[in-house]
Amino acid sequence: MSNVANPFGQVLVALVTPFTSDGEVDWPGVEKHIDDVINAGADGIVVTGTTGETSTLTDPEKLRLVEIGKSVSAGRAKIITGGGSNETAHAIDLYRQSEKAGADGVMIVTPYYNKPTQAGILTHFRMIADATDLPVILYDIPGRTGVEIKYETILRAAKHPNILAVKDAKGDFSEVSRVLNQTDLLYFSGDDANALPHLSIGAAGLIGVTANIAAKPYRQIVDAVNAGDLAAATAAHKQLEPLVRAVMTHVPGTVAAKYILHGLGRIGSPRVRLPLVGPEEWEAAQIEDEIDLVRNIPGVDFSNFRPDRNAAAGGALPKVHGTTR
């Protein structure tokens, strides 16, 4: 385990951004959902990340999400701004504004689409970290960005005083152990199914999608691992498995999480913004079949699950598009 104090929390929720049925941000719904996940045990929230549909949010929406997160959390949870940009100049500006808006930390995704070299990735990270006084999490998710952060690049980035952590959605456990042995970086599991395996080899916590629906079991897993009770952690992990499968395997996690949250009556609409769309009939059926296997998850009552395939169908075009150029 790293010797660095953890300024982010251990159970972090990669927050969905609730929308109205026409694809605009449901601001009262955002406030309610943030309060719900904090009450369920989250001690950190990542707004405007992948799960928050950062690619289709405007910069003003992103900043307001930080402001609302700070207001609703009222010191009960850390607010981390995610997303970033594949344009370094834009990312720097966005993170500076997020710091002014009250963010407690920033999460920088590897530049996507451009496919930079490792030198370009490192320069991107360093320049953003230079531009803010906030603690930084690097987000390694090659399945979405097209490039991974190589081991050697992580070691070099770790020397920056503001770069304190990595969110790992790559799943290379031998590399995680190697980095933990050779740096003081904190590691966060970025794959819901791998939360317990990551924690068992020294990760500092998790940044989860399924935690939007059920944060309490993740709190139990983290607390059990911290107490050295692997049996209790494993039992909670097994209990969560069908829900994790429902959220993470059939459609993008955001889509499934919103579909389930709406079916539970916890958000007003399951709408996502294009090019994301709601689950097709057969995908919705698969999600519902997985939900049927969920038993006795603390804090969630699936006896009241009422999915609405019609409400989730298709995707929305917001009034103002997210791009800055």
Side-chain angles (χ1 to χ4, degrees):
M1 182 71 72
S2 169
N3 295 320
V4 176
N6 184 350
F8 307 105
Q10 291 183 293
V11 179
L12 278 66
V13 176
L15 199 80
V16 301
T17 305
F19 294 146
T20 61
S21 59
D22 60 357
E24 300 306 310
V25 178
D26 176 5
W27 296 110
V30 169
E31 293 185 23
K32 177 183 179 298
H33 187 49
I34 290 173
D35 191 55
D36 284 348
V37 297
I38 293 174
N39 288 335
D43 48 18
I45 295 173
V46 177
V47 295
T48 79
T50 305
T51 308
E53 298 178 69
T54 185
S55 300
T56 50
L57 292 172
T58 66
D59 283 3
E61 287 172 335
K62 294 174 184 178
L63 297 172
R64 190 173 175 194
L65 283 164
V66 173
E67 293 169 349
I68 287 177
K70 284 293 287 186
S71 175
V72 173
S73 67
R76 295 177 295 159
K78 300 295 185 181
I79 304 300
I80 315 301
T81 186
S85 174
N86 63 339
E87 181 195 11
T88 306
H90 179 207
I92 288 171
D93 181 63
L94 188 58
Y95 285 126
R96 280 175 171 162
Q97 291 187 67
S98 296
E99 183 173 3
K100 291 178 182 177
D104 297 302
V106 301
M107 188 173 76
I108 310 173
V109 70
T110 314
Y112 42 88
Y113 190 74
N114 317 57
K115 295 192 78 170
T117 64
Q118 292 297 303
I121 292 170
L122 183 62
T123 302
H124 180 81
F125 290 154
R126 283 175 170 169
M127 290 191 72
I128 295 170
D130 284 342
T132 176
D133 291 326
L134 295 176
V136 170
I137 304 172
L138 306 182
Y139 185 11
D140 191 8
I141 182 164
R144 287 185 179 271
T145 64
V147 288
E148 65 176 322
I149 312 173
K150 295 285 190 182
Y151 164 75
E152 294 80 10
T153 303
I154 294 174
L155 294 189
R156 295 172 72 186
K159 296 177 181 178
H160 194 289
N162 288 352
I163 296 175
L164 301 186
V166 176
K167 176 184 177 183
D168 183 274
K170 188 163 53 181
D172 184 339
F173 289 94
S174 61
E175 181 174 288
V176 174
S177 295
R178 196 176 174 195
V179 173
L180 287 173
N181 275 341
Q182 297 193 37
T183 75
D184 283 327
L185 288 174
L186 302 163
Y187 253 78
F188 289 89
S189 178
D191 183 338
D192 289 6
N194 285 336
L196 177 56
H198 270 125
L199 289 164
S200 70
I201 60 171
L206 59 103
I207 302 175
V209 181
T210 307
N212 279 278
I213 300 160
K216 189 171 288 185
Y218 287 105
R219 177 82 271 156
Q220 292 177 331
I221 290 171
V222 166
D223 291 346
V225 170
N226 288 341
D229 190 347
L230 184 59
T234 302
H237 167 82
K238 288 181 176 179
Q239 203 172 39
L240 270 170
E241 190 272 332
L243 181 59
V244 170
R245 198 166 61 243
V247 174
M248 302 302 293
T249 58
H250 304 297
V251 293
T254 305
V255 175
K258 283 189 168 184
Y259 185 68
I260 295 168
L261 286 166
H262 180 253
L264 290 168
R266 287 170 49 185
I267 59 174
S269 169
R271 184 68 70 208
V272 290
R273 286 179 176 175
L274 287 161
L276 293 181
V277 295
E280 296 190 59
E281 286 288 317
W282 61 275
E283 293 166 332
Q286 288 179 319
I287 293 169
E288 293 161 24
D289 286 346
E290 309 287 14
I291 294 298
D292 286 342
L293 301 174
V294 175
R295 298 287 185 274
N296 303 319
I297 289 185
V300 185
D301 182 3
F302 278 104
S303 67
N304 296 320
F305 182 55
R306 301 291 183 272
D308 189 335
R309 298 182 186 182
N310 289 331
L317 282 174
K319 294 173 184 175
V320 180
H321 59 74
T323 187
T324 59
R325 290 179 185 261

